[in-house]
Amino acid sequence: MNIDLNFVITNLPLYEKAAWLTLKLAFSGILISLVIGLLCSIILYFKVKVVEIIVQAYIELSRNTPLLVQIFFLYFGLPKLGLKMSESTCAIIGLAFLGGSYMAEAFRSGIESVSKSQIESGLSIGLSKIQLVRYVIIPQSFSVSMPSLSANCIFLLKETSILGAISIVDVTNLTKDLIGMYYRTFESLTMLVVVYLIMILPVSFILSWLERKVRYAEFGN
């Protein structure tokens, strides 16, 4: 099979632009999902009345519906109710909505690993719940949560591959367009694989390094 290098070189700028857009949407969704996950896990841990039920319902809804359906609802459903958002906004909200539930479970596993004696000691010296979370719970639970948080970040980055369903020109949608226009399937798919590797491998290495650092800090090695 002959590879059309001219086709590859000509379309590299398009893949670069699409890759930056993909990373921008992914990291925005990941950051918001981390905040959502942390808040939800704290609410569940302290069993905040009424709000706890809402959080549990959100987690079940988010984890048991596909991201594609969630994005379709945001992009096509909400305008029927008079709320219209841009494609990028829908993508970020969709990623954050899905990711927040997974991050909540990851954070909760870490929080529950903190011994009750540590919690009781913090309360006995007069720490408020906010101070308890900031100075006792989060620092100790982070190392336990880190592997799951890292896996969720990679998962959300890969989930951006369906954002083309709402006309976002991410790398996957760009590949589909190029195949449709030029019928250069092998070259287009090869560039897609390479671009995803370029995006995901550095993130994976950084998260693995961070996991080791957090683990060493916990055990003092």
Side-chain angles (χ1 to χ4, degrees), residues 3-185:
I3 298 177
D4 189 345
L5 293 178
N6 184 56
F7 174 83
V8 173
I9 295 171
T10 301
N11 289 288
L12 277 178
L14 295 177
Y15 273 94
E16 181 183 1
K17 182 179 179 181
W20 281 115
L21 176 61
T22 301
L23 288 172
K24 177 183 175 182
L25 296 176
F27 283 115
S28 297
I30 289 170
L31 289 176
I32 297 173
S33 70
L34 286 169
V35 175
I36 294 174
L38 181 59
L39 291 175
C40 288
S41 63
I42 292 172
I43 290 170
L44 292 174
Y45 182 78
F46 286 109
K47 302 185 185 302
V48 181
K49 293 182 179 180
V50 181
V51 183
E52 179 189 13
I53 298 175
I54 297 174
V55 169
Q56 289 175 338
Y58 153 68
I59 290 176
E60 291 301 320
L61 175 64
S62 173
R63 288 169 64 93
N64 292 289
T65 53
L67 177 59
L68 183 61
V69 174
Q70 296 170 9
I71 291 177
F72 275 172
F73 178 80
L74 292 170
Y75 190 66
F76 297 111
L78 290 185
K80 301 296 183 181
L81 302 177
L83 182 58
K84 187 175 182 180
M85 296 178 288
S86 67
E87 295 88 348
S88 296
T89 302
C90 289
I92 293 171
I93 293 175
L95 289 170
F97 184 82
L98 177 66
S101 61
Y102 285 93
M103 298 298 185
E105 293 300 314
F107 277 120
R108 186 164 68 165
S109 66
I111 291 174
E112 291 178 349
S113 70
V114 179
S115 64
K116 291 185 178 180
S117 61
Q118 294 286 330
I119 306 297
E120 293 169 355
S121 298
L123 293 173
S124 67
I125 62 175
L127 293 180
S128 65
K129 286 187 176 180
I130 295 177
Q131 291 174 321
L132 193 65
V133 169
R134 179 179 178 183
Y135 297 112
V136 179
I137 294 177
I138 291 180
Q140 294 188 57
S141 65
F142 193 66
S143 61
V144 176
S145 304
M146 192 61 207
S148 296
L149 294 175
S150 298
N152 291 338
C153 290
I154 299 299
F155 164 71
L156 290 175
L157 183 52
K158 290 189 290 187
E159 281 294 286
T160 57
S161 60
I162 69 168
L163 298 182
I166 55 173
S167 302
I168 292 178
V169 188
D170 67 318
V171 288
T172 303
N173 197 21
L174 173 63
T175 300
K176 290 168 59 179
D177 289 343
L178 292 177
I179 292 174
M181 288 187 294
Y182 302 107
Y183 301 100
R184 306 302 301 186
T185 304

